[in-house]
Structure formats: structure tokens, C-alpha cells
Amino acid sequence: MADHKAENAVREASTALAELEVRWNAAKEYLKIDQSRERHAALSAEAEDPNLWNDQDHAREVTTELGRLNNDLGAFDALRAALDDGEVLADFSRDALSSGDDLSILDELTATVSKLEQAISALETQSLFSGPYDQNDAIVELHAGAGGTDAQDWTEMLMRMYSRWAERRGFGVEYDEVSEGQEAGLLSATFIIKGRFAYGWLSAERGVHRLVRISPFDSQARRQTSFASFEITPLLNDGADEVEIDEKDLRVDTYRASGAGGQHINKTDSAVRITHMPTGIVVSCQNERSQHQNRDRAMQILEAKLAEKARSERQAEMDALSGNRGENAWGSQIRSYVQAPYQLVKDHRTDFETGNVESVLDGDLDGFMEAELRRQRSRS
């Protein structure tokens, strides 16, 4: 009986390894690994040029791209070596099975196949990030919608949720502007999530998010439905390369910052709000140390927003990058988070769902994001 189980285990592992080999070869094609190797060789040669740093901006672009290619190609080649090791383990297992030797190597084979499955899946997920800005940092904006105080509390819950998601992935979070609600929560928040593919991942979250729960602000403990919108823009390395901003088109207001942000908060009019008069785009920043720093960050966000608007207009499809905001209320939500009368988070675009609401609110969002990214890819 033990030998029969061992035979099945070896057979299943061998079949899995063969399938993983096929998936690895497919990834080599759609990730354009051969082109990446050629690009790596060209950048390596450029990096050795002693005059490279005469243009520091270009030099940083070269070294950044070269570093990313080093990581990508290194991981891809390491996966190739791991697949080869898996085949060797499968051979050893078959030999042990036929000779009656100790079959403890089967545990190592099974563990290896499981790790390879996870690594190949991660490689396949990377193929979803093919947009020109998917690797960029992301500017996230949250706005409370219908639902009064509960909606403002929901907006703060969402900010925490995305911050926790960023922490799980090792991404950084920088808070630029937070407007507190009248009684609790937030009216709005703007923050930047920094990490490779931050924009690619978070672009799947654009839209209206709906919360259903027993309101902690209702003395009669009635069920309340609340809404908050999620907007996103890729942070550009140099937005000035894509847009030109005439200072005459700007209205710059300063005001006293509020909320968390260090000892400087509430002492000076350091917060900055910039309105781009021709488009009506408004950006604010209050969490830097000085008015000058807040203005610089607000201008960076404004440049990114104007660049996105220009791209959308060129493509003649506003939803391509900026998305359709719609109403921040009933009927427009992309996802519902239900805490009463039952526990469920469901994405209405993909039907991906889970009953573990608390885990989702604590940042467990990858499944929802990946499902939506795959849906988008299937439609393109």
C-alpha cells in the first residue's frame, strides 16, 4: 500500500513538473526574456561608460532599469535552476522507488513542486503588468461619498486597508493631504504608495467601494450603507517632460495644516492647495515640513494628473487611465464589504468573493486585484 502511494506521489510530481516546464517556457515568451537580455547587455555597456554620469538624470534612469532587469533575469534564471533540481529529485525518487531504498526524498520532492508552483504563479502575475506606467508609484485619492459620518469613517477604514496592503508587500506609504470629517473619519485623503508595480496593482481598485454594517454612530444600532471612492494616478518620474504648466494658470492658497504630521502641524500656514484654473484640477499637500516642500509635492501631483488627462485625451478614451468616476453612491460600486447581516466581500466586476471581511480590511487584497487585472487582460 505504501509503495502504491509512493508511486502515485512520484507520478503526480512528475506530471506537475512537466506542466510547470510548459508554463515556464510560455512565460519566457510573453515576458520577452530574450529581448530583456539584449536590453540588459546594452544597458550594461552604457553603465560602463565613464561619461555616463555627466547627465545624472539619464544615468539614474540607466542604473534603475539595469537593476530591475538584473532582478527579473536573476529570478527567471533561478527558477530555471529550481526546475532542473526538481527533475533531479524526481529521478532520485523513481530510483529509490524501484530499488526499495528510503523514500524520505519524496517529502523534499513534494515541497519543491509546491514552491515551484508558487514561483511560476508569481511570474505569470507579473505578465499582467504590461502598461507603460504599471511599474510606477501610485497617487491614491479617497473621497467620502453618500452615508454621512459612516461614509467618512469608511474612508478612513479604506486608507488603513490600503496602507496595510502596502506594508504586506513591502511598499512605502507617504501621506500628503488628509481632511478630517466633521464628527469622525475622513472627508478625503491623498497618499502615495511607493513600490515597483504599485500603480499596476492598485489600478484594479479604481471605483466606488460600498460598506454595509451596523452603524457605530446610530444610537438605535441600525444597518447603514456607506460609500467612498478610490481614484488613482501614476506618479511620474518627471511629469514636466509630459506637460507644461504656466504659473499664470495656477491659484496657490496656503492654510494651516491639521491632523497628524509632526510637531510643525497647526503652527504655521505651511499647507498648500494649488488649483489649475484651465482644468479645475485641485491638489493639496500638508504633511511636508515646510510650505516650500508642500508646494513641490503638490506640483508633482498636479503634473501627474495633467499628464494623465493629456494621455486620456490623446487616446480618446477617458476611462483608459483616469477611469469613470460615476456617482459615489448606490448602483456605482465595484465592490461591496458586508459586515451585517452576514460576512462577505464581493467584487461585482469579477464575482471574486470571500467571507473573511476582517482579513480583507487588514490588507488581504491580492486575490481581488489579480482577478480584476485578469478580467481586464481578457478584454484587451
Side-chain angles (χ1 to χ4, degrees):
M1 181 66 70
D3 286 348
H4 181 65
K5 287 184 177 180
E7 288 176 3
N8 284 340
V10 172
R11 187 180 304 108
E12 289 173 1
S14 298
T15 300
L17 285 168
E19 293 174 351
L20 290 170
E21 179 79 22
V22 171
R23 290 166 64 185
W24 182 88
N25 281 306
K28 183 178 181 181
E29 294 301 318
Y30 59 66
L31 292 177
K32 301 179 180 179
I33 295 298
D34 289 341
Q35 292 93 317
S36 293
R37 293 194 194 282
E38 293 175 2
R39 179 64 176 163
H40 182 273
L43 289 172
S44 296
E46 193 171 355
E48 294 174 359
D49 185 346
N51 297 318
L52 174 66
W53 286 95
N54 291 344
D55 183 342
Q56 294 193 6
D57 289 339
H58 177 66
R60 278 191 288 269
E61 290 175 2
V62 169
T63 55
T64 297
E65 185 179 357
L66 186 58
R68 287 176 173 174
L69 285 171
N70 277 331
N71 291 336
D72 289 348
L73 293 173
F76 190 79
D77 292 340
L79 190 51
R80 171 70 271 166
L83 279 167
D84 292 340
D85 291 343
E87 291 291 353
V88 171
L89 283 173
D91 288 340
F92 285 163
S93 298
R94 283 188 285 269
D95 291 343
L97 192 63
S98 61
S99 61
D101 291 343
D102 181 17
L103 293 175
S104 60
I105 194 173
L106 270 177
D107 292 336
E108 185 178 356
L109 174 61
T110 301
T112 296
V113 170
S114 178
K115 290 179 181 178
L116 283 168
E117 169 67 37
Q118 294 176 18
I120 290 287
S121 294
L123 198 65
E124 291 170 339
T125 299
Q126 187 175 327
S127 72
L128 299 174
F129 305 122
S130 57
Y133 305 100
D134 282 352
Q135 297 195 41
N136 289 33
D137 300 335
I139 303 168
V140 175
E141 294 179 68
L142 299 173
H143 297 275
T149 301
D150 277 279
Q152 294 163 27
D153 188 51
W154 175 223
T155 302
E156 186 169 24
M157 291 169 64
L158 285 176
M159 186 173 74
R160 178 189 180 277
M161 181 180 77
Y162 288 111
S163 298
R164 293 288 293 121
W165 174 82
E167 291 171 9
R168 285 169 176 245
R169 301 199 68 84
F171 291 172
V173 182
E174 296 180 2
Y175 301 95
D176 284 319
E177 188 273 334
V178 174
S179 296
E180 296 180 355
Q182 290 92 341
E183 298 179 32
L186 303 174
L187 288 169
S188 65
T190 300
F191 51 99
I192 296 175
I193 295 184
K194 310 190 79 168
R196 190 181 182 195
F197 298 120
Y199 177 74
W201 278 107
L202 289 163
S203 62
E205 296 298 286
R206 181 188 288 116
V208 175
H209 296 248
R210 169 180 175 248
L211 173 68
V212 182
R213 65 174 178 176
I214 301 298
S215 172
F217 306 103
D218 189 320
S219 60
Q220 299 181 47
R222 289 173 295 191
R223 193 163 69 242
Q224 172 72 29
T225 300
S226 312
F227 299 87
S229 65
F230 179 106
E231 301 173 26
I232 184 169
T233 307
L235 182 65
L236 306 180
N237 294 327
D238 188 359
D241 286 347
E242 293 198 30
V243 296
E244 293 184 7
I245 299 177
D246 191 332
E247 288 287 334
K248 294 183 294 185
D249 291 334
L250 303 179
R251 186 179 72 229
V252 181
D253 300 307
T254 59
Y255 58 99
R256 188 156 297 184
S258 63
Q263 294 181 352
H264 66 296
I265 293 297
N266 289 325
K267 292 185 178 180
T268 63
D269 292 340
S270 60
V272 173
R273 180 185 300 109
I274 299 177
T275 304
H276 185 250
M277 305 299 288
T279 61
I281 293 175
V282 179
V283 296
S284 302
C285 185
Q286 68 179 28
N287 282 353
E288 300 296 337
R289 283 281 170 184
S290 69
Q291 185 182 116
H292 177 73
Q293 290 173 318
N294 279 323
R295 190 184 194 282
D296 286 347
R297 174 50 65 87
M299 284 297 296
Q300 186 181 24
I301 295 173
L302 177 61
E303 288 166 353
K305 283 180 164 292
L306 289 172
E308 179 171 313
K309 186 174 186 299
R311 289 192 299 269
S312 297
E313 289 173 348
R314 286 197 301 268
Q315 294 171 11
E317 290 184 14
M318 208 56 170
D319 291 345
L321 282 174
S322 62
N324 184 5
R325 289 177 59 179
E327 292 295 324
N328 198 352
W330 281 101
S332 58
Q333 65 270 8
I334 63 164
R335 188 177 304 147
S336 292
Y337 306 70
V338 181
Q339 293 183 305
Y342 51 86
Q343 298 278 313
L344 180 69
V345 181
K346 180 173 182 176
D347 195 291
H348 303 294
R349 303 163 299 179
T350 63
D351 289 333
F352 188 92
E353 62 182 44
T354 177
N356 193 342
V357 180
E358 290 306 313
S359 177
V360 173
L361 294 178
D362 199 41
D364 186 8
L365 293 164
D366 283 3
F368 289 95
M369 293 180 181
E370 187 171 337
E372 170 58 13
L373 291 170
R374 291 189 182 281
R375 185 190 73 88
Q376 292 176 6
R377 183 179 180 182
S378 69
R379 298 175 62 188
S380 61

